[in-house]
Amino acid sequence: MAFRGNLLVLLVLAAAAVATGKSARLELVPAAPGASMAERARDDRHRHAYITQKIASGRGGSRRVAAEVDASAVSLPVSSGAYAGTGQYFVKFLVGTPAQEFALVADTGSDLTWVKCNGAGGATPPGRVFRPADSKSWAPIPCSSDTCKLDVPFSLANCSAPTSPCAYDYRYKEGSAGARGVVGTDSATIALPDGKMVQMQDVVLGCSSTHDGQSFQAADGAISLGNSKISFASRAATRYGGSFSYCLVDHLAPRDATGYLAFGPGPAPKDSTPTAQTPLLLDPEMPFYGVKVEAIHVAGKALDIPAEVWDATKNGGTILDSGTTLTVLATPAYKAVVAALSTHLAGVPTVAFPPFEHCYNWTARSPGAPEIPKLAVQFAGSARLEPPAKSYVIDVKPGMKCIGVQEGESPGLSVIGNILQQEHLWEFDLKNRLVRFKPSTCTR
């Protein structure tokens, strides 16, 4: 889960399980601005450092897929966390028996789903907390188990007795966020499209007695959408056809505007907009979803970016990450993109707004000033992402826009954040190792 900073898009997820021939989906809801854009950019830098460190270390908590259940699909609502001052999306998640409701950060970089908890040792955190003693289906995972020793990320080595609970200290990098507690299994409840509620059993769940980080001041925890043996996404996708998808509404949309998180076959398309697809690059030791970028175009022209920037074998590469707000580009790509965009916007009055390098006083823009040029990201397989201009020249305050990308290290990993992904349907076909995407209003 690493660093999720800017426009926290909270997915409102309500967990799921069985029921043949149906589909499951969660709604994604956008939030309104609270924390400053500078704070969100800072959190993204922490998250990027964490992801880079995790990939460099070769492993940071294990993974892979589980199975069972015969329903064809389920879904949950997802909303933006902007109203709470974060750059992430929230999912409404129902866990336990009887079900207790929580708003969790939707995170494709996370392998462990966890909630703020009462009864895991330590002080009870403020706000909504999960009470395992009140759930008939809660079962602690022993620290001596293979699940604890091999699959739980950041599990602690101390195991005083074989039956002692599996403890973890999930850290996201200095200055970012973290959570500590014990791990168990419980049931999750999800709504089917027809309104019926079903349960998904044996969901791996962290019960966090302590946590820190801005992202979790407004959220109740995180839902793991990473490629991991114990993540909610991998287990649910395996049970519902081998894929999951999400659609994020505009990060500044009203709180009641929702997208969705779905597992299993998606609904029939409502329009003829073609769906693009590109290979999904998966590492069995990492939760991240890699893609191969081949080029970036601005105003129809391919930018001069060294091929090594997009080559994972040369310490480059790119991932899609719902937990990062602003897109982070390795230095050569960042400089090329910013130079091209700023050249086209040269006629617009500039203004200082750290940490962004190029910001503009949009209200002082003359009638004849140039429009924002079109940006396109070309992936392997001729897949082309053409986001709306508001996704890369972003509103940071009334009347002010900034080029909304951040500079990463070089060589280093580039990250496509949730703002650049907004208003598109993204399907992660884990079974066939493909990611598909197309523009969407994110309405069902």
Side-chain angles (χ1 to χ4, degrees), residues 278 292-297 310 376-385:
T278 189
K292 179 61 185 296
V293 173
E294 294 187 337
I296 295 181
H297 300 254
W310 313 122
V377 181
Q378 185 79 37
F379 297 104
S382 300
R384 192 179 179 95
L385 171 64

Side-chain angles (χ1 to χ4, degrees), residues 48 64 79 90 117 139 146 230 278 283 319 323 442-443:
H48 185 264
R64 225 62 303 84
S79 62
F90 299 149
C117 202
D146 285 344
I230 64 170
T278 189
D283 182 335
I319 64 170
C442 298
T443 57

Side-chain angles (χ1 to χ4, degrees), residues 32-105:
S36 71
M37 188 58 71
E39 291 174 311
R40 296 172 186 175
R42 176 205 62 201
D43 287 346
D44 273 350
R45 289 194 295 273
H46 286 312
R47 180 176 178 88
H48 185 264
Y50 161 82
I51 291 176
T52 299
Q53 181 186 59
K54 191 165 186 175
I55 290 177
S57 67
R59 177 182 176 119
S62 0
R63 29 220 120 253
R64 225 62 303 84
V65 193
E68 67 190 308
V69 179
D70 54 1
S72 66
V74 292
S75 71
L76 298 175
V78 178
S79 62
S80 166
Y83 69 88
T86 177
Q88 298 170 298
Y89 286 86
F90 299 149
V91 175
K92 188 178 295 182
F93 192 77
L94 300 174
V95 64
T97 308
Q100 302 173 45
E101 180 181 306
F102 302 96
L104 304 184
V105 172

